[in-house]
Amino acid sequence: MKCVRCRKKGVIHLKRHNAAFCQECFLYYYKNQVKKNIKRHRMFDKEDKVLVVISGGKDSMALWHILASEGYNVTGMYINLGIGQYSDKSQQVVESFAQKNGLELIVKDIKKEYGLDIYKLSKLLKRSTCSVCGSIKRYLFNKVAYDGGFSAVATGHNLDDEAATLLGNVLSWEEGYLARQSPVLESTHPKLVKKVKPLYTLTERENLFYVLINKIEFLHDECPHAVGARSILYKEVLNRLEEESPGTKQRFITSFLEKGRRHFQDAQEKLELRECSICGQVTTTEVCSFCRFVKLSNQNTEN
Ligand code: SF4
Ligand code: ZN
């Protein structure tokens, strides 16, 4: 199959666009998608400071690389969550990439800096590891972004992630989540930084191709806690649909954003936001969950 743009030999076929690209034209397509998404949803511009959430996986590494190459003012942020070898390996990958490419990187280690252990907390609070981990990540990314004067926090969520999340939310009619599902989550409080997803129209496969072409090192392993997650099943189901009918995932997301989402706007929870009495970050309770985690961990070490 020939490249649709230059007619040279195509090396990647994107069925949903009924198009093949050579390596060079794929990079042109990829860059245009990212730039279009940023512009269409007014995510940020070249003057803004953007904090990029980095896990070390292909999606976040691709995002960091493309934004830096396009001249955006980006800083990577990596959190060591204390997940055994997975955390050690991913930190190495991220630090070595930042060093080789002269990129700014902020690293937080929840055990060393705050004495937090997601496994202990999950047992004490009878909450899943992912739920504890998710709360810690959301808190730290926002806090670092707010304290550092960043205009946006960018994540590497791709089309497969977004379609799987949407399917999960539709299956149980999670109206509140459906109201919030968007490539841009605007700030609802002066201390909450806007969240953006510049890769939401690109698939996992396209991100993989991007990192391979650019020889970007990334961690191939998934977090061990992701195994068996419901979202993986939804991705498999959507892949099956995509095989039979290319373009399903993209139609699902774009038509939801254009036609479906507005019907859920009233379901947006009007939570009363306040500032945590310990750290001053935004919460709905007297003390935020992060400060409660820190207190609980310290009490537990003392006992
Ligand atoms: Fe945290 Fe791993 Fe769960 Fe993701 S899959 S929320 S990184 S524990
Ligand atoms: Zn707090």
Side-chain angles (χ1 to χ4, degrees):
M1 193 163 276
K2 284 186 178 159
C3 171
V4 282
R5 207 167 150 250
C6 72
R7 311 307 298 162
K8 272 194 232 147
K9 188 172 176 278
V11 289
I12 182 167
H13 183 209
L14 306 184
K15 278 196 195 159
R16 75 179 189 289
H17 296 305
N18 193 21
F21 290 110
C22 69
Q23 204 160 293
E24 202 182 306
C25 293
F26 170 79
L27 291 177
Y28 177 84
Y29 151 84
Y30 188 95
K31 184 172 80 180
N32 268 345
Q33 284 280 315
V34 177
K35 279 168 53 177
K36 237 197 269 172
N37 292 342
I38 293 172
K39 212 167 164 195
R40 187 189 300 142
H41 297 282
R42 297 198 188 94
M43 293 182 178
F44 46 80
D45 54 38
K46 297 258 164 97
E47 281 73 50
D48 289 319
K49 271 176 76 180
V50 181
L51 189 69
V52 187
V53 170
I54 311 292
S55 67
K58 60 184 181 326
D59 304 303
S60 58
M61 296 304 276
L63 177 64
W64 198 8
H65 183 272
I66 184 95
L67 294 182
S69 321
E70 287 306 300
Y72 288 101
N73 183 359
V74 287
T75 298
M77 176 169 166
Y78 171 83
I79 305 179
N80 187 313
L81 296 153
I83 308 176
Q85 278 198 349
Y86 168 75
S87 287
D88 299 339
K89 278 203 253 169
S90 51
Q91 184 166 346
Q92 265 173 21
V93 167
V94 173
E95 285 180 335
S96 118
F97 181 76
Q99 207 183 16
K100 275 185 207 152
N101 295 280
L103 296 174
E104 281 189 51
L105 171 69
I106 298 171
V107 175
K108 292 270 164 197
D109 187 312
I110 61 163
K111 210 169 224 169
K112 286 187 196 149
E113 284 182 55
Y114 307 97
L116 297 177
D117 180 324
I118 56 169
Y119 300 107
K120 269 194 202 151
L121 282 166
S122 136
K123 245 190 218 159
L124 288 167
L125 295 160
K126 297 190 176 54
R127 276 170 62 176
S128 72
T129 321
C130 287
S131 143
V132 171
C133 174
S135 295
I136 295 174
K137 288 196 288 192
R138 276 192 300 278
Y139 175 90
L140 283 178
F141 286 126
N142 189 75
K143 180 170 169 44
V144 169
Y146 174 72
D147 291 347
F150 287 87
S151 312
V153 174
T155 57
H157 290 95
N158 57 45
L159 181 61
D160 300 75
D161 298 325
E162 291 303 289
T165 304
L166 181 57
L167 180 60
N169 288 338
V170 166
L171 288 176
S172 46
W173 291 114
E174 292 283 2
E175 295 176 308
Y177 289 140
L178 287 165
R180 286 164 55 85
Q181 181 159 1
S182 166
V184 177
L185 202 59
E186 292 292 349
S187 161
T188 51
H189 184 283
K191 283 190 169 180
L192 286 179
V193 181
K194 160 176 167 180
K195 313 285 180 316
V196 296
K197 302 169 184 169
L199 305 185
Y200 84 100
T201 56
L202 290 150
T203 62
E204 277 181 9
R205 180 170 166 255
E206 286 154 38
N207 289 339
L208 177 64
F209 204 59
Y210 181 84
V211 290
L212 292 177
I213 294 177
N214 286 291
K215 299 188 173 51
I216 300 166
E217 210 189 315
F218 67 100
L219 193 71
H220 294 246
D221 317 341
E222 289 266 4
C223 170
H225 302 290
V227 178
R230 200 47 76 81
S231 57
I232 295 183
L233 173 63
Y234 296 151
K235 281 186 184 176
E236 283 167 13
V237 171
L238 285 160
N239 284 342
R240 179 77 188 86
L241 288 169
E242 186 76 24
E243 246 175 61
E244 293 294 327
S245 172
T248 300
K249 287 180 213 173
Q250 185 138 5
R251 278 196 302 277
F252 189 35
I253 285 293
T254 46
S255 46
F256 167 72
L257 294 174
E258 281 164 17
K259 297 182 258 178
R261 189 170 170 256
R262 62 172 177 264
H263 299 293
F264 298 96
Q265 290 312 297
D266 292 344
Q268 189 106 264
E269 275 184 285
K270 306 267 180 305
L271 294 172
E272 204 183 307
L273 300 176
R274 52 202 286 189
E275 293 181 14
C276 168
S277 58
I278 300 179
C279 70
Q281 279 290 294
V282 181
T283 175
T284 51
T285 45
E286 161 83 23
V287 174
C288 77
S289 55
F290 187 86
C291 288
R292 276 184 275 140
F293 291 174
V294 174
K295 209 168 157 201
L296 194 63
S297 304
N298 290 335
Q299 276 170 352
N300 238 270
T301 336
E302 285 160 18
N303 292 340

